[in-house]
Amino acid sequence: MSQTFLGMPLLPVFGTGNLHASESFPKAAHRELGNAQLRANLGHATHTIRDKRLQVVSELPDWEQLRDAGSAIKESVMARLPELLEQFEKNFTARGGVIHWARDADEANEIVAGLIRETGETEAVKVKSMATQEIGLNEYLEEQGITALETDLAELIVQLDHDKPSHILVPAIHKNRSQVRDIFLREMPGADPALTDDPAKLAAAARTHLRRKFLTAKVAVSGANFALADSGTLAVVESEGNGRMCLTLPESLITVMGIEKLLPTWQDLEVFMQLLPRSSTGERMNPYTSLWTGVTEGDGPQNMHLVLLDNGRSAALADEMGRSALHCIRCSACMNVCPVYERTGGHAYGSTYPGPIGAILSPLMTGIQAEENNSLPYASSLCGACYDACPVKINIPDILVHLRGVDVDSKRGKKKIPTQMDAGMKAASWALSSGKRLGLLEKGLPLGRLAAGPDKKITKLPGIAAGWTQSRDIPAPPPQSFRTWWAKEHRGPDADGGPMPSHNKGDQP
Amino acid sequence: MKIALFATCIVDAMYPATAKATVAILERLGHEVVFPGGQACCGQMHVNSGYFKEAVPVIANHVAAFESDDYDVAVAPSGSCVASVKHQHPMIARSCGDRALEKRAAAVGAKTYELSELLVDVLGITDAGSQLGSWFPHRVTYHPSCHGMRLLRLGDRQQRLLNTVRGIDLIPLPEPDQCCGFGGTFSMKNADVSSAMLEDKAANITATGASLCSGGDASCLMHIGGGLSRQGSSIRTLHFAEILASTEQHPAQIAGEVQLLSGKAAQ
Ligand code: SF4
């Protein structure tokens, strides 16, 4: 069949790169749950950050108003994104920067590799960045013969161990200090064989290693937390100061940033600088905030590039119910409070974005049909802790439910044989949409009692319900339903409205 | 006041004692309770599993059963089902393009209360012992279910009511705000994670030394109770309505009729 070219790119363009799970969440979770060390580390780390966050958040009397403001600003950004992007491009270019537009991960990777190649360098230092992880930049550069060196301590640990980050803020949350020492001894050139697992000693070893790199690097690659449209300014918020080194010392600076990171004005930054540190590290203020506006002659990088990355963000924006997932400022509060993340860790989510936000953002960016990402929206008990913690009030539970609906609908009519879940839901819909039908079915309750046997509990069920009985019993059903009792035995209140009419026949409550 | 009882499907079929207790409390206060016979289920299981199309008839049935003007307020002994009626019903009707149903559902939602909300906010109950005659001489801990806590913002209403029951020894539960891991079909689709959550909840309950765990949602209590039972624990679960309904003349049967018949009533 021939295709007619209509002169328009197909919309939406879904994201590529490290956004896909390679196995379903329940399967990955099953494996990760078996890792006792991981669970202990994660439990400890998430609980500590949780308590710190609650403490500093409770100090601000206007925390809820700040969240409302953050949410409102982000909503207005999404509504005027094209206009703000153009405004930003104009200002960034006027100050000596160069803008590149990347539709997906491949395009972004090629652009960055090309820019590094132009400098003649084969090594680049990196500021911790989610966007470059999302597109798999390090791996791509390696294929191109370019070494990208992570300079954030935790990222460095993960990189040296040839592992993947498991938390967006604390990438090595799944490793403890003796594991870190072993990694340093094994992978860090020139590491002192007498190195202990004392955190200060470990940090000092990393510092010596990194200093050498900072002083010689000619190219740095970064992400950005915010971009201010009215001035063309970029911002990076960090804790260690290693980012500041990368942003100021090398001659060339290449930044990769998702298009949703824009803020309209400098003034808007005030809201987010209060929301972000408190929500992420539980600090009142983060140690290092770097802001840069174009090239300043004789000071800092003289070549400045920004790759504006779509990679599925437009697709997420096109989903009316899901688009607020793009409000995310990557603080990680939602994963720190999430009871599912706490037990499975980040790797179970497959994508660069783990936890509750990952469970909505990844399928929104890749499309729900992508590989195993359709299992992500189900990776939640819908307890709502993430929504309460989110500094920009993303209603993650509602979006999870919405995406479950999209998933179910996307499969309708495509399956030859309905799944057990499909059949069960259809039957339940019939039974539960009429009091009469439910009442008739409840007449069968005594049968369930028979099935439960003498100890009055059901301990094994077949099919999908076996998931329930793997760790829980079901009580035997009562001899009659409430409905039957009401019809047969409850006479209603006495004429004088006296107390306890329902007990006038000796019924127990 | 004329109060329409929404028993919820799980209470109607599995825990009738909870609905009977709700009726007993309200009638004790002199109110008339009616039971709209057309009612069945809030449809939350369908909605939360992504089966919106299948949820619509369930929601429409609930709206039809409760939209009469013949009562003042509706009440359900469940935070989760009330949250579904208030938030999900209009949302699903809208997303399925039924504006008329959305409007009717919103009207029903506005008249629907969770039991502790009705007791505290509308009926002015501040002391269960003196106002309801509640008496329950047992060591009890209490798990606040997620949807009541986060979707309805019930705060400590249920706990305050329990605290004022005569004779009760209410022991605080460590990490009360942590989900028990139920989550409807989550407990089957992600059974491993759900079980890990339940394990921690059960350990916290056991650590209190209580003989009973109370709460406001039969579904969570069935989940917690099912886990405790599997572990061979003697700790039972009991809806807070049954504790409030319990009096010296008519003490509650611990763990309701289910355990009663297995000969494991009060200790
Ligand atoms: S969704 Fe909200 S809480 Fe989670 S990382 Fe993003 S901003 Fe933070």
Side-chain angles (χ1 to χ4, degrees), chain A residues 343 404 422 442 472-473, chain B residues 12 48 51 192 194 200 229:
Chain A
R343 289 169 178 86
R404 292 175 187 187
D422 293 340
E442 285 167 352
R472 322 150 183 92
D473 295 336
Chain B
D12 178 19
N48 287 349
Y51 290 78
D192 293 326
S194 167
D200 294 343
S229 159

Side-chain angles (χ1 to χ4, degrees), chain A residues 328-334 357 390-392 394 396:
Chain A
C328 174
I329 56 174
R330 313 276 189 266
C331 73
S332 75
C334 59
I357 183 64
C390 178
V392 287
I394 301 171
I396 297 176

Side-chain angles (χ1 to χ4, degrees), chain A residues 220-301:
Chain A
V221 177
S222 84
N225 291 94
F226 305 104
L228 310 174
D230 65 346
S231 58
T233 302
L234 291 168
V236 159
V237 176
E238 47 139 359
S239 296
E240 298 172 353
N242 292 342
R244 171 78 54 86
M245 297 273 197
C246 298
L247 296 169
T248 50
L249 291 171
E251 279 162 20
S252 300
L253 173 58
I254 305 162
T255 303
V256 181
M257 184 186 84
I259 51 173
E260 83 284 17
K261 294 273 173 246
L262 280 182
L263 294 179
T265 68
W266 261 89
Q267 210 186 343
D268 299 317
L269 196 57
E270 177 223 337
V271 173
F272 294 93
M273 289 311 294
Q274 294 182 76
L275 290 173
L276 181 53
R278 283 185 157 85
S279 302
S280 59
T281 46
E283 292 169 302
R284 298 186 184 94
M285 196 181 165
N286 55 293
Y288 292 87
T289 301
S290 301
L291 293 139
W292 67 100
T293 311
V295 176
T296 308
E297 218 178 300
D299 183 14

Side-chain angles (χ1 to χ4, degrees), chain A residues 40-117:
Chain A
N41 289 5
L42 270 174
H44 178 75
T46 51
H47 282 251
T48 312
I49 300 181
R50 253 180 230 179
D51 295 344
K52 273 177 81 182
R53 188 190 74 86
L54 281 178
Q55 169 77 35
V56 294
V57 160
S58 67
E59 289 171 0
L60 289 188
D62 60 346
W63 181 252
E64 288 307 316
Q65 285 96 318
L66 275 169
R67 291 176 77 209
D68 285 335
S71 166
I73 293 169
K74 283 288 187 180
E75 204 174 307
S76 82
V77 168
M78 297 315 146
R80 322 166 23 211
L81 197 53
E83 170 203 331
L84 289 171
L85 282 166
E86 282 177 13
Q87 189 192 358
F88 180 87
E89 180 181 34
K90 212 173 109 235
N91 286 325
F92 189 78
T93 311
R95 293 184 174 170
V98 184
I99 296 268
H100 310 263
W101 299 87
R103 193 184 320 218
D104 57 20
D106 294 343
E107 279 190 19
N109 284 332
E110 274 166 39
I111 293 168
V112 177
L115 289 170
I116 298 176
R117 233 179 267 124

Side-chain angles (χ1 to χ4, degrees), chain B:
Chain B
M1 196 182 270
K2 197 163 175 181
I3 301 169
L5 173 67
F6 171 34
T8 77
C9 65
I10 181 171
V11 163
D12 178 19
M14 294 295 288
Y15 297 94
T18 300
K20 291 182 201 172
T22 305
V23 174
I25 297 164
L26 297 174
E27 290 184 346
R28 201 179 293 162
L29 289 166
H31 300 288
E32 182 188 351
V33 179
V34 292
F35 180 79
Q39 67 177 279
C41 167
C42 68
Q44 186 180 184
M45 175 183 73
H46 287 100
V47 175
N48 287 349
S49 304
Y51 290 78
F52 299 171
K53 213 183 95 202
E54 287 78 1
V56 173
V58 183
I59 292 171
N61 177 68
H62 181 86
V63 171
F66 281 88
E67 69 185 337
S68 114
D69 288 332
D70 194 33
Y71 67 92
D72 300 304
V73 293
V75 70
S78 161
S80 201
C81 303
V82 170
S84 173
V85 167
K86 286 172 116 58
H87 304 306
Q88 287 188 331
H89 286 194
M91 184 182 91
I92 295 298
R94 186 171 56 242
S95 84
C96 292
D98 194 337
R99 288 280 169 177
L101 181 62
E102 180 191 350
K103 252 183 93 181
R104 289 163 56 212
V108 169
K111 280 172 84 173
T112 306
Y113 291 79
E114 183 277 335
L115 179 59
S116 72
E117 208 178 17
L118 180 73
L119 289 173
V120 174
D121 299 358
V122 182
L123 305 179
I125 305 299
T126 52
D127 189 319
S130 63
Q131 290 170 284
L132 297 172
S134 311
W135 177 82
F136 194 74
H138 298 276
R139 277 168 82 84
V140 179
T141 191
Y142 161 79
H143 165 67
S145 284
C146 301
H147 290 175
M149 179 168 58
R150 299 203 180 90
L151 292 174
L152 295 181
R153 301 282 173 210
L154 292 180
D156 59 357
R157 283 177 181 79
Q158 294 177 356
Q159 200 170 353
R160 255 163 39 213
L161 289 170
L162 283 175
N163 237 330
T164 54
V165 168
R166 273 190 310 116
I168 199 168
D169 182 7
L170 194 65
I171 307 159
L173 178 67
E175 306 203 291
D177 61 343
Q178 292 301 298
C179 176
C180 74
F182 173 56
T185 47
F186 171 77
S187 59
M188 294 181 241
K189 284 200 169 210
N190 279 285
D192 293 326
V193 186
S194 167
S195 299
M197 290 161 71
L198 176 59
E199 204 180 290
D200 294 343
K201 179 59 71 183
N204 277 327
I205 291 170
T206 308
T208 62
S211 58
L212 275 165
C213 177
S214 186
D217 272 278
S219 50
C220 308
L221 291 177
M222 178 167 88
H223 183 241
I224 294 170
L228 288 165
S229 159
R230 175 59 58 89
Q231 294 173 8
S233 166
S234 62
I235 305 171
R236 306 281 168 214
T237 53
L238 191 63
H239 195 283
F240 82 90
E242 291 173 63
I243 295 181
L244 295 187
S246 175
T247 62
E248 261 158 305
Q249 296 74 37
H250 298 284
Q253 302 292 344
I254 291 173
E257 290 172 330
V258 178
Q259 264 73 26
L260 180 73
L261 278 142
S262 64
K264 290 181 193 157
Q267 43 250 188

